[in-house]
Amino acid sequence: MEVLGEEDLAKIKKWLESNSVANSVGYNSLLSRMIKDKAAIVICGPTCVGKSKIGLNLARILDTDIISVDSMQVYRGMNIGTDKCNTEKYGIKQYMVDIFNPDHYVTVVEFRNICREIIEKEFFLKDRIPLLVGGSGLYIRGVIDNLGFVPKSDFSIRKRLKEEIRNHGLSTLYERLREVDPIYSEKIGKSDERRIIRALEVYEITGRPYSCFQNTWNDRRSIYNVIFLGFSVDRVKLYRNIEERVDRMFKKGL
């Protein structure tokens, strides 16, 4: 897919307005309704399916900007290997790109918080439709879904739990886990020290069973009115696209 020229873009907008879409709702009316409902569009699919160009063209059609939901494009400098797309030359701003140096580890929670603030301030408050484009499924879900993320490890708690194991045995901690989180204790073995410690650690930090954090991942409940546009392509063509992209990367100096 190629990037639409100005003439083609004008023709598409004119056609969409003159030919009713979405149950006889015209193009402008449809945009107004989506803005009123605070709709968000997510373009997703495998690597090299063409998400960037699809997102760029759709952003121009909808008169909006793009939010990159890619776990690597968030870092500065790694332009070739992450195949960053220069959208500014087409008048489209791309958020969540080049905001951290590579020595800063960006967690999903940090990414989510920044992204949600952008969605609220730069799109909803300005009556624009947020267009999320990316290939990182975890980051997409982290932004749009109401997921419960497990807290970071606490070294002092872990140290104390390991001392308890040395003094009283692993079975003592497993019995404690059965009391506070019977659901998770049934999923793991009695000798799984690492998971037993982690589950008890999370319980001490949050006061909530470890299993409740896992359950939220199965709900798939979004906090936005999301429209998913998932794209696929024949596997042979997809692999050829990937090979061509890698060749281009090496030619650019990767």
Side-chain angles (χ1 to χ4, degrees):
M1 173 183 284
E2 298 300 322
V3 177
L4 294 170
E6 293 299 329
E7 185 176 344
D8 291 329
L9 189 64
K11 288 180 180 179
I12 289 174
K13 288 185 176 181
K14 183 177 180 181
W15 182 88
L16 288 172
E17 181 57 32
S18 61
N19 294 269
S20 59
V21 294
N23 297 324
S24 300
V25 177
Y27 168 70
N28 290 325
S29 299
L30 178 62
L31 288 188
S32 298
R33 177 185 293 181
M34 292 175 68
I35 291 170
K36 181 180 179 181
D37 293 342
K38 292 188 174 181
I41 298 175
V42 174
I43 293 179
C44 55
T47 298
C48 284
V49 77
K51 297 185 297 294
S52 295
K53 287 185 178 179
I54 293 170
L56 178 56
N57 284 329
L58 188 56
R60 300 179 75 209
I61 292 171
L62 299 178
D63 293 322
T64 191
D65 288 322
I66 291 172
I67 301 174
S68 170
V69 199
D70 187 285
S71 62
M72 291 292 106
Q73 291 187 359
V74 70
Y75 294 108
R76 300 185 185 100
M78 299 185 293
N79 300 339
I80 301 174
T82 61
D83 200 41
K84 291 175 184 174
C85 178
N86 182 10
T87 62
E88 292 186 358
K89 64 181 181 180
Y90 301 103
I92 302 296
K93 185 172 182 178
Q94 189 170 205
Y95 295 88
M96 298 305 291
V97 172
D98 293 337
I99 60 176
F100 290 108
N101 289 329
D103 60 353
H104 175 80
Y105 175 67
V106 183
T107 65
V108 180
V109 173
E110 184 178 16
F111 189 97
R112 175 200 67 187
N113 293 343
I114 298 172
C115 199
R116 286 182 178 179
E117 185 176 1
I118 290 172
I119 290 173
E120 187 63 33
K121 291 183 178 180
E122 299 297 329
F123 290 88
F124 290 159
L125 289 180
K126 295 182 179 180
D127 291 334
R128 298 194 302 155
I129 301 169
L131 179 59
L132 285 71
V133 181
S136 302
L138 173 61
Y139 281 61
I140 292 174
R141 289 206 63 194
V143 172
I144 68 172
D145 285 353
N146 188 24
L147 300 178
F149 286 94
V150 182
K152 292 182 179 180
S153 297
D154 187 308
F155 178 75
S156 61
I157 294 177
R158 288 199 162 206
K159 183 179 179 181
R160 175 169 49 79
L161 290 173
K162 288 182 178 181
E163 288 179 355
E164 289 188 44
I165 292 174
R166 284 194 294 268
N167 295 331
H168 306 289
L170 183 59
S171 60
T172 302
L173 266 68
Y174 180 75
E175 289 302 318
R176 187 187 307 169
L177 179 61
R178 287 185 61 186
E179 293 177 6
V180 299
D181 194 352
I183 296 175
Y184 187 68
S185 66
E186 290 296 322
K187 294 181 179 180
I188 63 175
K190 296 180 181 180
S191 59
D192 196 333
E193 179 178 324
R194 181 176 64 85
R195 287 187 171 86
I196 292 172
I197 290 176
R198 180 56 174 154
L200 290 174
E201 175 192 32
V202 169
Y203 181 77
E204 289 196 27
I205 295 173
T206 66
R208 298 166 60 192
Y210 188 73
S211 57
C212 77
F213 291 94
Q214 294 185 317
N215 291 338
T216 61
W217 287 79
N218 298 322
D219 290 342
R220 295 193 176 277
R221 186 176 304 168
S222 178
I223 65 171
Y224 303 115
N225 291 318
V226 177
I227 300 169
F228 268 99
L229 300 178
F231 294 88
S232 63
V233 69
D234 176 75
R235 184 177 293 270
V236 174
K237 178 173 173 51
L238 183 66
Y239 282 14
R240 186 166 61 248
N241 290 347
I242 294 173
E243 291 169 357
E244 290 174 355
R245 174 182 290 185
V246 173
D247 288 340
R248 288 197 304 271
M249 288 178 175
F250 281 124
K251 288 179 182 178
K252 289 181 179 179
L254 183 67

